[in-house]
Amino acid sequence: MKLDTKMIHAGAHPDPSTGAIMTPIYQTSTYVQEAPGVNKGYEYARSQNPTRAALEEAVAVIENGKFGLVFGSGVAATDAVIKLLNPGDEVIAANDMYGGTYRLFMKVFEKFGFKFIYVDTTDPANVKAAVTANTKLIWLETPTNPLMNITDIKAIAAIAKEAGALLCVDNTFASPYLQNPLDLGADIVMHSATKYLSGHSDVIQGCLVMNDAELRDKLYFIQKSCGAVPGPMDCFLVLRGIKTLAVRMKAHCANGEKIAHWLKANPKVGKVYWPGFTDHPGYAVAREQMRGFGGMISFELKDDSIEEAKRVLSSTKLFSLAESLGGVESLINHPASMTHASIPREKRIKDGLSDSLIRLSVGIEDADDLIEDLAKAIG
Ligand SMILES: *Cc1c(COP(=O)(O)O)cnc(C)c1O
């Protein structure tokens, strides 16, 4: 089945009780049993819910995986993966990634005895060099948030396999429409479904997809035991969002390409970070493992003062100043003070995330309107 068809039909079965084409919102906490222990596969909604089950099937299908699990947020999905580990286990993670993932690792989990080692994963040799006998998990993001660095998933999967460690890829930025890490050897794919999967900035949700049944059972046990499950209404919204993922991603990619090139040609703009530029260091790998370059772009201004960045950030009209990404409407964000404020400044600067960096989530409005908005703001 072609990708565009799959996005619409993934997990969609007419409701068995009425034939409703859309999976209903099963707003219930429990299910009546015919006799003690005799039920229809549903006992209590923390463990099972039909709306969630439809979405879990859908996310598995669109990520070319066997099993999906959906959580109350992206970080809750990440939290579940880390709970697979034991004290003393080591995690190798990308040095440039979502600030909330870093915060979860360092401020919540480090004190339980897990060790997190950060390396520049764009060079697989750095990952290989960091492997020890205690390495149990490699955590990747590609493209990264917000510097759009590209890591070769296949190369890291080979290192993980040799180390006997799991590889989990946060695929939020690419979306399953542009990249499928399981096909490249990852063990788990994680998404903040809040972003492109939902696509309409109206829900907080996360998911995991995997192929291994034993791994699925372990993660399901954590999901059920720790309870970070989403409500059925949110599952319905994401199911609906996935139906338009193909058309939205095509529009995000087309607008992203136009705006990235426009920014690059603007004399007031400094470095532009977008993996579709042929001179981007990750271009060859991105072309190999992605089907498009997406709508996320970061850039610096030639005048790299924080004041100038703040002036531009406050001047756009169509690009709303807000955290988050992946919705139909365009957003502009200042990673240093917003999404990545939880990363110490020293570490941020060392990893290339300057105070003046501006991140765009390019929406699906008309590209000319978006460019006009940026042109006025940049001045
Ligand atoms: C937003 C985001 C997360 C966290 O997801 P939430 O749904 O906000 O909990 C994780 N990774 C990336 C890349 C994100 O953009």
Side-chain angles (χ1 to χ4, degrees):
M1 194 186 286
K2 296 263 170 54
L3 213 51
D4 292 41
T5 312
K6 201 154 86 172
M7 297 298 155
I8 291 168
H9 292 278
H13 308 289
D15 181 52
S17 57
T18 64
I21 191 161
M22 295 306 303
T23 305
I25 301 165
Y26 282 91
Q27 195 74 51
T28 189
S29 61
T30 193
Y31 308 88
V32 176
Q33 311 205 3
E34 286 155 42
V38 182
N39 59 60
K40 298 180 164 68
Y42 294 93
E43 296 157 309
Y44 184 62
R46 176 157 35 73
S47 309
Q48 312 99 354
N49 177 284
T51 320
R52 195 172 94 212
L55 177 58
E56 290 181 335
E57 185 186 335
V59 294
V61 169
I62 64 177
E63 270 298 6
N64 296 338
K66 289 206 178 101
F67 309 104
L69 291 170
V70 181
F71 294 81
S73 67
V75 292
T78 304
D79 172 277
V81 175
I82 302 303
K83 284 174 178 160
L84 291 167
L85 305 175
N86 293 309
D89 286 352
E90 293 180 11
V91 180
I92 300 174
N95 62 358
D96 168 34
M97 60 177 188
Y98 176 67
T101 305
Y102 177 82
R103 178 175 60 198
L104 178 66
F105 289 177
M106 303 314 283
K107 300 276 169 71
V108 178
F109 279 118
E110 203 180 39
K111 67 168 184 262
F112 292 108
F114 307 116
K115 201 170 155 203
F116 298 92
I117 295 119
Y118 299 92
V119 301
D120 175 357
T121 57
T122 59
D123 182 354
N126 295 334
V127 177
K128 203 172 166 89
V131 169
T132 74
N134 296 325
T135 306
K136 292 288 151 53
L137 175 69
I138 299 177
W139 188 275
L140 276 193
E141 227 182 273
T142 180
T144 58
N145 179 1
L147 291 171
M148 310 304 297
N149 285 319
I150 301 292
T151 293
D152 185 337
I153 298 174
K154 251 189 209 162
I156 307 295
I159 295 168
K161 198 158 194 200
E162 200 187 315
L166 291 171
L167 171 62
C168 183
V169 178
D170 180 339
N171 201 28
T172 302
F173 260 43
S175 91
Y177 191 70
L178 300 182
Q179 178 172 274
N180 299 117
L182 296 180
D183 292 347
L184 301 166
D187 299 289
I188 307 171
V189 178
M190 175 263 165
H191 280 278
S192 168
T194 312
K195 318 292 169 54
Y196 286 109
L197 293 183
S198 137
H200 294 76
S201 308
D202 51 10
V203 71
I204 294 285
Q205 194 176 91
C207 70
L208 301 174
V209 180
M210 58 247 104
N211 277 319
D212 185 80
E214 202 180 315
L215 183 59
R216 183 263 171 202
D217 289 348
K218 282 184 192 164
L219 288 163
Y220 172 69
F221 181 80
I222 293 168
Q223 180 197 42
K224 174 172 91 168
S225 304
C226 300
V229 293
M233 172 81 186
D234 288 356
C235 293
F236 174 87
L237 288 171
V238 177
L239 270 170
R240 185 163 74 164
I242 290 172
K243 291 193 187 290
T244 57
L245 186 66
V247 282
R248 285 187 287 110
M249 290 315 297
K250 282 182 208 169
H252 284 297
C253 288
N255 281 356
E257 181 168 0
K258 278 190 193 159
I259 290 174
H261 286 285
W262 179 84
L263 283 167
K264 203 173 191 179
N266 188 312
K268 292 205 168 160
V269 172
K271 190 160 179 199
V272 183
Y273 301 80
W274 183 66
F277 291 134
T278 49
D279 60 355
H280 183 290
Y283 178 74
V285 175
R287 272 207 64 166
E288 180 74 27
Q289 69 187 14
M290 299 175 77
R291 288 180 285 265
F293 303 111
M296 295 302 298
I297 304 169
S298 295
F299 66 98
E300 283 152 2
L301 296 163
K302 283 256 170 71
D303 171 354
D304 67 351
S305 66
I306 196 155
E307 291 73 25
E308 180 60 6
K310 283 194 171 156
R311 190 194 61 74
V312 171
L313 284 153
S314 324
S315 307
T316 52
K317 300 272 183 319
L318 283 176
F319 281 87
S320 302
L321 179 63
E323 297 200 8
S324 200
L325 61 108
V328 290
E329 62 285 293
S330 293
L331 301 178
I332 191 165
N333 165 49
H334 185 225
S337 69
M338 296 167 68
T339 43
H340 292 67
S342 50
I343 300 173
R345 184 169 184 275
E346 209 174 286
K347 178 176 177 345
R348 255 199 301 110
I349 304 283
K350 193 171 126 266
D351 297 337
L353 200 171
S354 68
D355 283 339
S356 68
L357 190 84
I358 293 173
R359 189 190 80 183
L360 301 178
S361 171
V362 176
I364 64 170
E365 301 95 332
D366 188 282
D368 294 340
D369 287 335
L370 295 176
I371 286 173
E372 192 185 320
D373 191 36
L374 289 171
K376 279 190 186 143
I378 294 168

